[in-house]
């Protein structure tokens, strides 16, 4: 445990599962609040985002609604969308493999827009995606506690926008407008389609359909929750698994032997005449091990989100004042050499015993998705999306490192970016169909 203060704000960093379990799970009633973030919440209008909501009944109602659509069984119904978009990704990759990072982002945006709103986005200049990307950029910039001085000195939020040094207020006002558009536009689109009787199935349509048609306050609130849940699924889902897939590409380019083993498993189970699907998952332990190792090796959210302590507490002889921001250090937990030997190495085999997933190795979800009552509710969707992408990519493609001017392979290394979410620093790799038969399978896949 490490405790420190920055401008009067106390931070407690927990470096093991014993600590995260003792405080964030067993005492979660006291460790489930969020910090006040005046820039993001008051000025940029992100109060509708459950990630930043204070612990209480409004958060609980959002959480319940989110759970209803994203629990382990609920996400099964999104498999056809995940499968379709992941297959379309294979096709795009064939045409422009060098922009693979862009294709990954688009694939996740397309999945989540269809799941939430039934909207099929287009690949170039899609108005929904452009707005969302800008809104998410705002979160990335303002989401790190202390990034803007107003988060440390909340009184600054009353400074008039025209004053020198108040550039943050003008920025916030711009982002606020973008956030409103991001939440309202697709939501109103579904409402109009429902009214016209031609809405495609989606979370928002199901939600609105299930509401009793009254005009009371509760009805209005439920509608707000439906809108918040959908936009939040986009905000939480569009950028996160993207990072995991990018790290997966990097790992494959760095570890050809692992890729070969994965190819062998896929060839044996799926064969050369079709693409893998969700029915194959149980029969592909090595692919499942790759999914787990990808989530462990480099972390999408290395420090997760801070859990604010509501009341003074005492733990292991230490006093923890209320208001302390408690963070689980997912990096040290998932890189503990006692549990994951040579943790810096990407080694899917560590998850296997006698060719099957070894249940004794703690799953990356002990830390990668946060903890306790605030644990990521999108983790099941993320897991199945990652499986769909990994199995499909490896079934038809080989990923290799780029060559230098003498034709020698360039030695790639993981260089994660810092920030609330972490991505690999942009890197190049060569992506080729594994065979003519693989290329023929890719060409059969549809893109709009
Ligand atoms: C690789 C993928 C993902 C990672 C690593 C990830 C990680 C996290 C982490 C660390 C938290 C904070 C948990 C805490 O406070 O202890 C979180 C919260 C959250 N995530 Fe994810 N996430 C991922 C994917 C998704 C997806 C796909 C969705 C939506 C479909 C989603 C929606 C959310 C929401 C709504 C919260 C807020 C929960 C709350 O405050 O109660 N996430 N996620």
């Amino acid at each position: 445990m490490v405790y420190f203060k920055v401008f009067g704000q106390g931070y407690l960093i927990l470096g093991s599962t014993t600590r995260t379990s003792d405080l964030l799970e067993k005492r979660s009633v006291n460790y489930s609040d969020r910090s006040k973030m005046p820039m993001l919440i008051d000025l940029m209008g992100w109060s509708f985002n459950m990630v930043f909501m204070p612990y209480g009944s409004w958060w609980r109602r959002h959480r319940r609604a989110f759970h209803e659509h994203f629990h382990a069984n609920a996400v099964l119904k999104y498999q056809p969308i995940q499968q379709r978009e992941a297959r379309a990704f294979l096709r795009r990759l064939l045409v422009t493999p060098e922009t693979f990072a862009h294709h990954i982002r688009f694939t996740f945006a397309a999945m989540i827009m269809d799941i939430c709103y039934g909207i099929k986005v287009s690949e170039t200049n899609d108005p929904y995606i452009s707005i969302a990307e800008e809104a998410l950029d705002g979160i990335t910039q303002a989401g790190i506690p202390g990034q803007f001085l107003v988060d440390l000195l909340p009184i600054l939020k009353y400074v008039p926008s025209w004053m020198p040094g108040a550039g943050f207020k003008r920025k916030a006002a711009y982002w606020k407008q973008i956030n409103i558009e991001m939440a309202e536009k697709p939501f109103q689109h579904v409402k109009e389609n429902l009214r016209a009787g031609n809405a495609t199935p989606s979370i928002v349509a199901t939600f609105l359909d299930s509401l009793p048609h009254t005009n009371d306050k509760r009805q209005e609130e439920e509608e707000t929750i439906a809108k918040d849940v959908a936009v939040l699924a986009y905000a939480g889902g569009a950028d996160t698994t993207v990072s995991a897939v990018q790290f997966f590409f990097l790992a494959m380019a760095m570890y050809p032997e692992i890729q070969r083993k994965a190819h062998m498993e896929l060839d044996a189970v799926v064969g050369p005449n079709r693409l893998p699907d969700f029915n194959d998952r149980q029969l592909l332990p090595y692919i499942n091990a790759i999914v787990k190792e990808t989530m462990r090796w480099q972390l999408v959210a290395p420090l997760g989100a801070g859990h604010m302590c509501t009341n003074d507490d005492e733990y292991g002889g230490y006093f923890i004042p209320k208001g302390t921001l408690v963070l689980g250090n997912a990096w040290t937990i998932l890189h503990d050499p006692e549990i994951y030997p040579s943790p810096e190495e990407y080694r899917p085999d560590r998850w296997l015993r006698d060719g099957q997933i070894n249940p004794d190795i703690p799953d990356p979800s002990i830390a990668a998705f946060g903890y306790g009552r605030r644990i990521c509710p999108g983790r099941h969707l993320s897991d199945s999306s990652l499986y769909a992408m990994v199995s499909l990519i490896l079934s038809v493609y080989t990923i290799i490192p780029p060559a230098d001017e003498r034709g020698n392979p360039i030695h790639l290394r993981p260089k994660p970016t810092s920030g609330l979410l972490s991505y690999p620093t942009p890197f190049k790799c060569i992506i080729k169909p594994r065979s003519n038969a693989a290329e023929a399978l890719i060409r059969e896949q549809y893109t709009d």
Side-chain angles (χ1 to χ4, degrees), residues 34 50-51 59 63 236-237 240 304 307 368-371 374 376-378 382:
R34 293 291 198 218
M50 188 166 87
V51 182
W59 165 79
R63 183 90 198 181
T240 44
H307 291 225
F369 292 102
Y371 316 88
R374 306 279 320 214
C376 173
S382 167

Side-chain angles (χ1 to χ4, degrees), residues 207-216 218-220 222:
F207 224 115
L208 292 176
D209 239 4
S210 68
L211 293 182
H213 294 279
T214 57
N215 281 325
D216 63 3
R218 182 98 190 164
Q219 156 95 13
E220 210 178 284
E222 288 297 316

